[in-house]
Amino acid sequence: MSAVLGLAAAKRSRIRLVILAMLFAATAINYADRATIAIAGPAMAKDLGFDAVTMGYVFSAFAWSYVLAQLPGGWLLDRYGVKWVYAAAIFLWSAFTLMQGAVGFLSGFAAVAVLFSLRLAVGLAEAPVFPANARITAAWFPANERGMASAFFNAAQYFATVLFAPLMGWIVHAFGWHHVFTVMGALGIAFALLWTQVVHGPREHPAINPAERDYLEAGGAMMDMDGRPAETASRAGRTLRQLLGERMLLGIYVGQYCINTLTYFFLTWFPVYLVKERGLSILQAGFAATLPALCGFLGGILGGVISDQLLRRGYSLTAARKIPIVSGMLLSMAIIGCNYVQADALVVGLMALAFFGKGIGALGWAVVSDTSPKESGGLSGGLFNTFGNLAGITTPIVIGYIVRETGSFNGALVFVGLNALVAGLCYLVVVGEIRRFELKAVTASS
């Protein structure tokens, strides 16, 4: 019997790994386009005369629209389908990124206004992406592979820095900050076309075989990437009220806000910190950012492996998700230690340790796949991402004011470290048992 099962497994296709590779690439490009402003920031600020607070607001522009568009973006996914909404999102955010290269032709208030508007447009276009990632993961992966799959695409945010930060730093050094935007925008537009040819749902993918399809279904994969359009659209408000009334979900949402504070520090102020506080050149900062990013990437993969291994060894889903998240957040508090060392190598080492911990704990999207109602994965993921990316608004602005008022980044690093502590406490104290949330039946008259 075991030989027969082994033969069946050997004949099983692995199209889900191709889908995961596409999610990884899309997420890497997504985060690279968010980070263009951070890499170009020091040279741009010098050319255009932006101070720290102005840069803080420009850094935050992306998150204002990104947050506001999460629920509409989630609804679009449930209404029109993941594949084509995702493809349109990639194309649009890449086009808006490309346009930012033209800001150098402006000056003063006009430059600030156009750059802020384009960053708002990038945020609007990127809004559906992570809810779509969670929905695709839930459809294409059984429960005991979902933690690893979610961690893998989420870890692409660090890989984006490993791959693109040195490239973008070199482009700024050799050609000027304008060309960072044009190169990254063109890359994203090309990838959008590839996406439409490769990504399909598990029921209709032309390359999947019955063995893999049966394996997914038996393991708890949802199989359908899309929700139920008519039903979801008609009761979106009632669904939101139920989601917001659930303590488990609220703990997850607040925890994600705190985790994303670390993310947005890294995406916005970290290169500026290295240049302004530590005296590195822009080119050096681009390369120095790669070690923490690489450690974050490795931590992200390790967090998914640990979580799925715990699940396979008989731990509950709750323990398998919480152990890496809480441990990782405690490790992330190492970022505060940068205030007490002088050597640049030690600073980069502590940042690397902090982002390794952040990577281990970045299992929020796996938890979304575990907990979202089957009828409304897009809306649930959109709500989760709304809370999480409020940090993209507050973090750049708060740090901008701290830096201006104190003249250093010391208070900023404490702010970031304390958010990691709160994230761990949310999962320990508030979340409780992790389980799939079931929407209550709603009668036609209600």
Side-chain angles (χ1 to χ4, degrees):
M1 177 62 74
S2 60
V4 173
L5 291 174
L7 182 62
K11 292 181 177 179
R12 185 191 306 145
S13 61
R14 294 181 176 272
I15 301 304
R16 64 193 184 281
L17 300 183
V18 176
I19 300 299
L20 183 58
M22 292 297 290
L23 292 181
F24 182 88
T27 305
I29 293 171
N30 180 291
Y31 268 89
D33 286 350
R34 297 187 198 190
T36 50
I37 192 73
I39 299 297
M44 177 189 289
K46 183 178 179 181
D47 281 357
L48 301 178
F50 295 168
D51 64 11
V53 172
T54 301
M55 286 304 295
Y57 278 99
V58 169
F59 284 155
S60 76
F62 165 89
W64 286 92
S65 57
Y66 189 69
V67 167
L68 291 174
Q70 283 303 308
L71 296 181
W75 179 84
L76 284 173
L77 292 169
D78 289 336
R79 180 67 180 85
Y80 295 106
V82 170
K83 175 180 176 176
W84 293 106
V85 172
Y86 207 135
I90 298 170
F91 179 86
L92 288 172
W93 94 57
S94 300
F96 291 133
T97 296
L98 190 150
M99 292 177 193
Q100 290 171 67
V103 172
F105 293 106
L106 305 172
S107 62
F109 177 78
V112 176
V114 171
L115 182 59
F116 193 88
S117 298
L118 287 172
R119 295 300 293 176
L120 287 174
V122 172
L124 283 172
E126 289 194 8
V129 171
F130 271 82
N133 283 356
R135 188 79 192 189
I136 294 170
T137 302
W140 270 100
F141 287 88
N144 64 359
E145 294 183 8
R146 201 172 291 149
M148 177 61 189
S150 298
F152 189 72
F153 78 67
N154 198 49
Q157 63 183 280
Y158 310 106
F159 183 80
T161 303
V162 173
L163 179 63
F164 292 114
L167 172 64
M168 291 190 287
W170 174 76
I171 291 172
V172 171
H173 178 75
F175 303 104
W177 59 266
H178 318 74
H179 295 287
V180 169
F181 299 107
T182 55
V183 170
M184 294 307 304
L187 175 64
I189 290 170
F191 184 77
L193 300 177
L194 178 65
W195 176 274
T196 63
Q197 302 303 307
V198 176
V199 176
H200 309 273
R203 294 195 189 279
E204 61 269 13
H205 200 290
I208 192 173
N209 67 11
E212 184 176 17
R213 192 177 288 114
D214 292 343
Y215 170 73
L216 297 179
E217 199 154 16
M222 291 175 59
M223 302 304 291
D224 294 310
M225 292 200 308
D226 305 319
R228 303 172 187 172
E231 183 181 4
T232 302
S234 65
R235 66 176 196 176
R238 291 188 290 270
T239 298
L240 285 174
R241 286 194 293 272
Q242 290 189 46
L243 295 173
L244 289 170
E246 172 61 33
R247 172 177 167 171
M248 172 190 70
L249 296 176
L250 284 175
I252 292 167
Y253 299 157
V254 175
Q256 187 67 8
Y257 167 84
C258 296
I259 292 171
N260 272 5
T261 297
L262 282 82
T263 301
Y264 278 101
F265 167 74
F266 194 69
L267 286 175
T268 57
W269 281 108
F270 182 52
V272 181
Y273 166 76
L274 293 176
V275 172
K276 299 293 186 181
E277 188 90 352
R278 295 294 170 174
L280 276 62
S281 70
I282 295 172
L283 185 61
Q284 289 172 329
F287 281 95
T290 60
L291 180 60
L294 180 61
C295 289
F297 172 74
L298 295 175
I301 301 299
L302 182 60
V305 170
I306 291 171
S307 182
D308 284 351
Q309 284 296 323
L310 289 172
L311 203 57
R312 291 190 184 104
R313 292 181 182 181
Y315 285 78
S316 68
L317 180 64
T318 300
R321 300 299 190 231
K322 284 188 178 184
I323 289 172
I325 291 172
V326 175
S327 301
M329 290 302 100
L330 292 176
L331 196 58
S332 290
M333 295 183 69
I335 196 171
I336 298 174
C338 294
N339 289 337
Y340 304 100
V341 297
Q342 297 300 319
D344 292 338
L346 286 176
V347 170
V348 173
L350 286 170
M351 287 287 182
L353 182 62
F355 282 94
F356 178 74
K358 194 264 181 185
I360 289 176
L363 286 172
W365 283 106
V367 176
V368 169
S369 294
D370 295 327
T371 58
S372 293
K374 293 181 179 180
E375 306 92 333
S376 192
L379 201 59
S380 174
L383 188 59
F384 169 83
N385 222 21
T386 298
F387 274 81
N389 284 281
L390 285 171
I393 297 172
T394 58
T395 301
I397 294 173
V398 168
I399 291 177
Y401 277 106
I402 291 173
V403 171
R404 189 181 72 174
E405 297 303 318
T406 66
S408 80
F409 277 83
N410 289 356
L413 298 187
V414 172
F415 168 75
V416 174
L418 289 178
N419 271 273
L421 176 62
V422 174
L425 290 174
C426 280
Y427 274 90
L428 274 178
V429 178
V430 181
V431 170
E433 180 189 2
I434 294 175
R435 67 194 188 285
R436 186 166 303 283
F437 180 67
E438 295 184 4
L439 294 173
K440 297 175 184 176
V442 179
T443 63
S445 61
S446 62

